[in-house]
Amino acid sequence: EIVMTQSPATLSVSPGEEATLSCRASQSMSGNLAWYQQKPGQAPRLLIYGASTRATGVPARFSGSGSGTEFTLSISSLQSEDSAVYYCQQYNDWLAFGGGTKVEIK
Amino acid sequence: QVQLVQSGSELKKPGASVKLSCKASGYTFTDHAINWVRQAPGQGLEWMGWITTDTGSPTYAQDFTGRFVFSLDTSVSTAYLHITSLEAADTAVYYCARAVTGYWFFDLWGRGTLVSVSS
């Protein structure tokens, strides 16, 4: 099973700035990686799949990249509604979520 | 509309059992596997496993074998999660989630069911 490690645990960013979230896999994998956003009291929402493909309705300020063991979710021009916990999930070898990164707005 | 509607919150005593439901609507139920995901209070997401909705075949993640059982009633487009011998550590929100056909990421989630286990 591939274990996913996310960093940082918490990220504080000013509105309009860019947030960069990291997700590291315990072994090299193909691009079978998804990103989800979870706001308090809500279910997770799919943002990105295939490491870089935005899901339907996801704003263009969200972008995913990476390969091998290093993957990144970038949120450009951060808005107040982007305050949430973000999880990566690998579906390359079974399934596993990362521990999450909490994005706070300064 | 396309949605997964989960059953309401449960309060149970240790040692009891609980059966949660997840009713699909707005799409062909048997086209997508249903996965279950657990989230303990203040914690992250744990994948519990899936059940294929065409054959009813369950697959359990390593930490969720024995006391956890997935089942279906395709006649009412509903998936179930049955948990036996409840422990305080089972206190969590349980989500059902639809897998994209041919892949194992989730494009549709239920709102979750809170299970509280306390004496």
Side-chain angles (χ1 to χ4, degrees), chain B residues 48-110:
Chain B
M48 301 174 66
W50 74 71
I51 183 164
T52 57
T53 50
D54 51 354
T55 63
S57 174
T59 296
Y60 301 94
Q62 188 170 6
D63 290 343
F64 295 95
T65 58
R67 297 189 298 113
F68 302 85
V69 177
F70 307 148
S71 61
L72 300 174
D73 184 343
T74 55
S75 70
V76 290
S77 300
T78 300
Y80 301 95
L81 167 60
H82 187 206
I83 311 173
T84 60
S85 302
L86 283 162
E87 308 165 355
D90 295 321
T91 295
V93 175
Y94 292 82
Y95 293 101
C96 61
R98 182 181 81 168
V100 172
T101 303
Y103 297 92
W104 296 104
F105 61 89
F106 314 132
D107 66 341
L108 181 67
W109 293 68

Side-chain angles (χ1 to χ4, degrees), chain A residues 1 32 34 36 38 41-46 48-50 87 89-91 94-99, chain B residues 35 37 39 43-47 50 59-62 95 100 103-107 109-112:
Chain A
E1 178 187 325
N32 290 330
Y36 300 87
Q38 186 179 34
Q42 296 185 17
R45 169 198 178 196
L46 177 67
I48 301 285
Y49 61 91
Y87 295 95
Q89 177 229 326
Q90 67 85 6
Y91 50 100
W94 280 87
L95 253 141
F97 289 96
Chain B
N35 286 250
V37 176
Q39 187 169 39
Q43 302 302 307
L45 304 172
E46 286 183 277
W47 175 68
W50 74 71
T59 296
Y60 301 94
Q62 188 170 6
Y95 293 101
V100 172
Y103 297 92
W104 296 104
F105 61 89
F106 314 132
D107 66 341
W109 293 68
R111 290 189 173 186

Side-chain angles (χ1 to χ4, degrees), chain B residues 4-58:
Chain B
L4 297 172
V5 178
Q6 296 191 238
S7 49
S9 298
E10 301 272 5
L11 175 59
K12 295 292 184 180
K13 294 189 183 302
S17 298
V18 69
K19 191 170 185 178
L20 314 182
S21 67
C22 169
K23 182 174 177 59
S25 61
Y27 72 94
T28 301
F29 182 64
T30 52
D31 280 352
H32 300 267
I34 291 292
N35 286 250
W36 291 93
V37 176
R38 184 171 81 174
Q39 187 169 39
Q43 302 302 307
L45 304 172
E46 286 183 277
W47 175 68
M48 301 174 66
W50 74 71
I51 183 164
T52 57
T53 50
D54 51 354
T55 63
S57 174

